[in-house]
Amino acid sequence: MSEYRSGLGWDVHRTAVGRPLLLGGVAIAAEFGLDGHSDADVLAHAITDAILGACALGDIGMHFPDTDPRWKGADSLKLLRHAVELAAAQGFTLVNIDSTVILERPKLKDYRLRIRESLAECVGLPVECISVKFKTAEKVGPVGEGRSAEAQAIALMQRG
Ligand code: C5P
Ligand code: MG
């Protein structure tokens, strides 16, 4: 009989001029990007935590500390792939991912399919099993004022 586990992930990064804006490994055209020790892919980080969370394997900072020079500028899809492999070592396979990116601008909907395809390839699931949604913060708070971007994700894992 199959065992199912769900896991929740959340992340935030400050916006910064002169930095890339990467979401799920896809470069978004914008006059600013996201600051961080790694490549600051806020969506990949939230999904990585959702997968680790489903398997009770700790969190992203435990596996990839931001004080470790090995992860400076790291490709976050590699961290995500590593989380999938850690889960597989416990016998868990991914069923689906749902996610939301909260960013005031630019409009992201035209990137949706590309981001889903990039994530699907990374985690080894069909694109139909990867959902990516976008929201503004209605100009309110740090995200709404354009000072940061957030992402939320949930992952369902199956064992057996
Ligand atoms: O935040 P709000 O409800 O106004 O977003 C409306 C729609 O705009 C969302 O459903 C989403 O498809 C799109 N959106 C987007 N890029 C963003 C924020 C929202 O494409 N940065
Ligand atoms: Mg992060």
Side-chain angles (χ1 to χ4, degrees):
M1 206 174 65
S2 285
E3 178 189 358
Y4 290 93
R5 304 266 190 97
S6 60
L8 183 67
W10 173 86
D11 196 23
V12 59
H13 281 266
R14 275 191 297 268
T15 53
V17 173
R19 289 274 304 174
L21 178 57
L22 281 173
L23 293 174
V26 174
I28 310 295
E31 63 275 23
F32 61 87
L34 296 177
D35 208 3
H37 183 73
S38 69
D39 64 11
D41 187 331
V42 68
L43 176 59
H45 294 177
I47 295 172
T48 300
D49 257 0
I51 290 168
L52 293 172
C55 308
L57 285 169
D59 61 32
I60 193 168
M62 187 181 123
H63 294 279
F64 315 106
D66 64 8
T67 48
D68 188 331
R70 273 184 305 167
W71 310 119
K72 187 162 169 49
D75 174 353
S76 295
L77 289 189
K78 289 203 178 120
L79 313 189
L80 174 56
R81 179 74 212 157
H82 188 65
V84 171
E85 286 163 4
L86 289 170
Q90 304 293 315
F92 286 108
T93 56
L94 198 48
V95 177
N96 79 300
I97 291 166
D98 186 21
S99 64
T100 305
V101 176
I102 308 117
L103 184 65
E104 205 61 23
R105 63 184 172 86
K107 279 284 175 217
L108 296 167
K109 59 184 168 48
D110 293 343
Y111 290 93
R112 193 186 323 264
L113 183 57
R114 257 182 288 168
I115 294 172
R116 291 173 65 213
E117 286 171 345
S118 167
L119 290 167
E121 189 188 342
C122 175
V123 302
L125 274 186
V127 72
E128 293 77 18
C129 300
I130 310 280
S131 159
V132 180
K133 311 189 299 303
F134 307 114
K135 292 297 286 181
T136 69
E138 298 285 350
K139 299 188 171 66
V140 174
V143 178
E145 290 163 8
R147 290 188 281 127
S148 60
E150 295 185 12
Q152 303 173 338
I154 187 163
L156 184 68
M157 314 288 297
Q158 180 179 20
R159 178 157 70 177

